[in-house]
Amino acid sequence: MAEGRSTELADEVADGQAVELVYRPKPADTLVGLRVRERIKRTGLLLRGVFLTLFTGVHLLGTVRRGTIEPVSTALFLFVVLFVWGYPRIQAAHVQRIVGWQGEYRTTVSPAGITCSTDHSTLIQKWSVLQGYRETRGHFVLLSRDPNIMCLEVLPKQGLSTPDDADRLRAVLDRHTTRV
């Protein structure tokens, strides 16, 4: 069955109906996907902004009330600011540990859906799984339909074999899902 499926995908790529990408995932790719998800959901940005505002207010009120800057309070404040700023990077590094060991990814985007293969696994997703995609300067980020957008597929443009493949990939995505 898998052999028949791979022959079918090869035929679609040869016919120009499908686009193939070959790449190794990088933390920077994952970070782009996480940022896109955060912009679309907006709740993460809102929560981080509220949290930082409240924490800054508590720190400033405490400093004004005491009349002096406490080193422990200031160190804790700086730690929280750095943690909130760095959290997406921590997530990207964690995702890299999960997917990076699988090596090279071969992804085919076709009218049937998206097939992503490594030496260790194959994932086939139908278009109904996706709510849409967003294009960035160097990536196409595909977003899952679930309310929390827990699954992302980040397709780096550097994985395309020719610059014309970006236009073909965009056309396939536009035919089968929406831009968000």
Side-chain angles (χ1 to χ4, degrees):
M1 170 134 169
E3 190 174 307
R5 176 78 177 142
S6 62
T7 304
E8 183 181 312
L9 285 174
D11 292 342
E12 287 178 348
V13 171
D15 291 345
Q17 296 176 9
V19 180
E20 201 166 38
L21 296 95
V22 179
Y23 58 93
R24 285 185 175 273
K26 299 176 189 163
D29 298 332
T30 304
L31 188 58
V32 167
L34 292 172
R35 285 182 175 156
V36 165
R37 180 181 78 176
E38 195 171 82
R39 285 185 198 114
I40 289 172
K41 285 178 57 175
R42 290 192 179 105
T43 55
L45 289 173
L46 179 67
L47 288 174
R48 283 177 33 191
V50 167
F51 182 71
L52 281 175
T53 302
L54 288 174
F55 203 77
T56 302
V58 167
H59 178 68
L60 289 175
L61 285 174
T63 301
V64 168
R65 194 181 65 184
R66 285 185 301 275
T68 182
I69 297 174
E70 288 189 23
V72 173
S73 176
T74 302
L76 180 62
F77 171 72
L78 292 175
F79 173 77
V80 168
V81 168
L82 286 174
F83 183 77
V84 169
W85 174 79
Y87 187 72
R89 289 156 188 78
I90 294 168
Q91 278 184 301
H94 181 69
V95 169
Q96 183 64 28
R97 284 192 302 274
I98 294 170
V99 300
W101 67 271
Q102 295 187 48
E104 186 174 80
Y105 279 61
R106 294 168 301 283
T107 301
T108 304
V109 181
S110 72
I114 298 134
T115 303
C116 184
S117 298
T118 70
D119 291 340
H120 305 282
S121 66
T122 299
L123 173 66
I124 300 172
Q125 300 174 76
K126 293 186 177 184
W127 291 110
S128 59
V129 170
L130 302 174
Q131 71 166 288
Y133 80 97
R134 180 163 292 179
E135 184 176 359
T136 67
R137 187 168 19 108
H139 302 83
F140 289 94
V141 180
L142 310 177
L143 304 156
S144 67
R145 187 174 296 282
D146 66 284
N148 292 320
I149 311 175
M150 294 304 292
C151 298
L152 299 170
E153 184 80 31
V154 180
L155 304 175
K157 290 180 182 177
Q158 77 226 20
L160 297 166
S161 56
T162 67
D164 293 338
D165 285 347
D167 293 331
R168 288 183 38 234
L169 177 57
R170 191 177 303 106
V172 172
L173 292 173
D174 285 339
R175 258 194 312 272
H176 298 285
T177 190
T178 59
R179 288 183 195 231
V180 291

